[in-house]
Amino acid sequence: MDLDIRRSKVTHSTFGGGPHRCAGLHLARMEAIVTLQEWLARIPAFHVKAGTNPVFRSGIIAAVDDVHFEWAPIAAAVG
């Protein structure tokens, strides 16, 4: 259950391949990176809610369909 956004050599076909490669793949990847960076900068103290499990699906494109987060109280998050 670890998320490593710095992992390398990810093999999937999310953006297609060969002559069918998505023309916007670089923009889409950058948007995902910026979204995660901004999310973590603004909401650093969160975790998956106890008693719940993320719901994943796979296929040509893997996705997380459902995940329940809980945020720490503001005083605890600040320190």
Side-chain angles (χ1 to χ4, degrees), residues 4-76:
D4 181 3
I5 61 174
R6 292 179 184 88
R7 70 186 188 269
S8 61
K9 204 76 162 136
V10 179
T11 55
H12 56 71
S13 60
T14 301
F15 298 114
H20 303 287
R21 183 170 300 277
C22 175
L25 77 96
H26 300 294
L27 176 60
R29 283 186 177 147
M30 182 56 65
E31 288 174 340
I33 290 167
V34 169
T35 298
L36 285 170
Q37 288 172 336
E38 293 302 318
W39 171 275
L40 294 172
R42 287 171 170 73
I43 308 175
F46 65 94
H47 58 271
V48 175
K49 184 176 179 179
T52 67
N53 292 308
V55 177
F56 300 95
R57 70 182 146 95
S58 61
I60 294 174
I61 299 175
V64 178
D65 286 333
D66 190 32
V67 63
H68 297 268
F69 290 126
E70 285 187 326
W71 284 262
I74 292 174

